[in-house]
Amino acid sequence: MPLTTTNPLVTTEWLAAHLDAPDVRIIDASWYLPTAQRNPKAEYDAEHIPGAMFFDIDEIADTSSPFPHMLPRPEKFSSRVRAMGIGDGTRIIVYDGAGIFSAPRVWWMFRVMGFSDVAVLDGGLKKWKAEGRPLTDERPRPSPRHFTARRNAPLVRDLSAMLHNLETCMEQVVDARTGGRFRGVEAEPRPGLARGHIPGSCNLPSSQLVNEDGTLKSHNELVRLFDDAGIDLKKPVVTTCGSGVSACILALALALIGNDQTAVYDGSWAEWGAVKGLPIES
């Protein structure tokens, strides 16, 4: 299976065949909600796909922001990924421990930073382990590469853009949180946040897009799910969620079915639900 900018997914079979390819860099982007009480870095240290580097979305972020894992400045992003041996001519494969959960966030981050040759491992570490493929606790030591981030602003929305969209309704907003959190009947995993959703947004829980083995659902199933959620695939879409992670699962799915310019609201509900005075529906 060729890896191209129009193919944002690769299979475990493809990665197994390309583990030793000199141009392939593998990233473990595992991250979990605070309620999961899991330590992704410790799990990486215990076992990971050979050659994988750990990408900490809470550190490769704007750590001065009060909101979780907001996009970092391009200079910081470039510095961190250069040290991972990622640069010109590199093909990046991102995976996570849950199957398809946090890896799409890092896939989106690279695209925001102007790097397009990046794909997500379909099924992630969950499927890789189920198939009995090799694992290691050895940490690779790549040589630094040249990487220059060039921010692709159309893939990102901030609070001001989301407020403007309330007036113009130019973009459809799709929320990846659970139905209970969207409706405001289920508590948020982060304390102090209001309950509900951005007015006018639709709900498509990201878990509905993922099979039990951690792989994304088929093209036709994805199209049906977005259609059932009331999304017109011919019109612009912005995705949102709790903190900008599962929103990227929706963005990845949309890229697979033909909309690779989907924007993500970076602050998501961690920002909207924390800022006093913003309109909220429930």
Side-chain angles (χ1 to χ4, degrees):
M1 176 188 295
L3 175 59
T4 68
T5 55
T6 58
N7 176 26
L9 277 184
V10 297
T11 64
T12 50
E13 291 80 9
W14 186 96
L15 183 56
H18 292 81
L19 269 183
D20 298 323
D23 61 335
V24 170
R25 292 291 181 271
I26 306 169
I27 290 176
D28 184 325
S30 299
W31 178 88
Y32 304 99
L33 286 168
T35 51
Q37 297 185 328
R38 293 179 64 173
N39 185 331
K41 181 59 166 60
E43 292 180 17
Y44 165 84
D45 288 338
E47 60 178 13
H48 52 263
I49 295 176
M53 300 288 291
F54 185 72
F55 189 110
D56 186 346
I57 67 171
D58 286 323
E59 194 284 322
I60 307 177
D62 178 3
T63 52
S64 68
S65 171
F67 308 116
H69 40 254
M70 296 286 283
L71 280 167
R73 292 181 60 83
E75 296 82 5
K76 180 176 182 178
F77 188 88
S78 294
S79 173
R80 297 299 189 271
V81 303
R82 283 174 189 156
M84 295 182 186
I86 295 170
D88 298 338
T90 303
R91 293 179 167 187
I92 304 169
I93 309 301
V94 192
Y95 73 86
D96 63 59
I100 295 284
F101 182 58
S102 53
R105 169 74 185 188
V106 175
W107 164 83
W108 172 76
M109 289 177 71
F110 271 98
R111 296 178 69 240
V112 169
M113 297 298 173
F115 195 95
S116 60
D117 209 352
V118 55
V120 172
L121 179 63
D122 199 17
L125 188 62
K126 180 178 181 179
K127 188 169 187 285
W128 184 270
K129 290 174 67 173
E131 295 168 347
R133 300 191 185 275
L135 296 166
T136 185
D137 61 0
E138 295 182 7
R139 187 178 302 181
R141 301 186 183 280
S143 300
R145 299 278 292 271
H146 175 72
F147 185 99
T148 302
R150 298 177 178 86
R151 190 174 170 101
N152 186 1
L155 295 181
V156 188
R157 295 292 178 273
D158 61 12
L159 179 60
S160 62
M162 299 302 291
L163 288 169
H164 181 67
N165 192 61
L166 286 182
E167 301 174 1
T168 64
C169 299
M170 292 294 292
E171 297 178 314
Q172 303 166 100
V173 180
V174 192
D175 193 321
R177 292 176 300 158
T178 64
R181 290 171 66 189
F182 180 82
R183 294 190 302 273
V185 298
E186 179 183 330
E188 289 293 316
R190 294 178 179 82
L193 296 182
R195 296 188 185 188
H197 58 266
I198 297 171
S201 57
C202 300
N203 184 216
L204 177 53
S206 59
S207 59
Q208 294 185 13
L209 279 59
V210 183
N211 296 310
E212 288 188 8
D213 66 353
T215 59
L216 274 181
K217 294 192 173 179
S218 70
H219 181 283
N220 289 342
E221 288 175 307
L222 293 174
V223 170
R224 178 186 59 78
L225 285 165
F226 280 99
D227 184 63
D228 289 349
I231 305 305
D232 185 345
L233 295 174
K234 297 178 181 178
K235 296 180 179 179
V237 176
V238 178
T239 64
T240 183
C241 61
S243 65
V245 173
S246 58
C248 297
I249 302 175
L250 300 188
L252 176 66
L254 285 162
L256 283 165
I257 59 178
N259 188 344
D260 65 354
Q261 295 302 306
T262 298
V264 172
Y265 172 27
D266 193 22
S268 284
W269 197 254
E271 180 177 42
W272 193 280
V275 177
K276 303 301 182 184
L278 295 182
I280 292 174
E281 288 181 348
S282 60

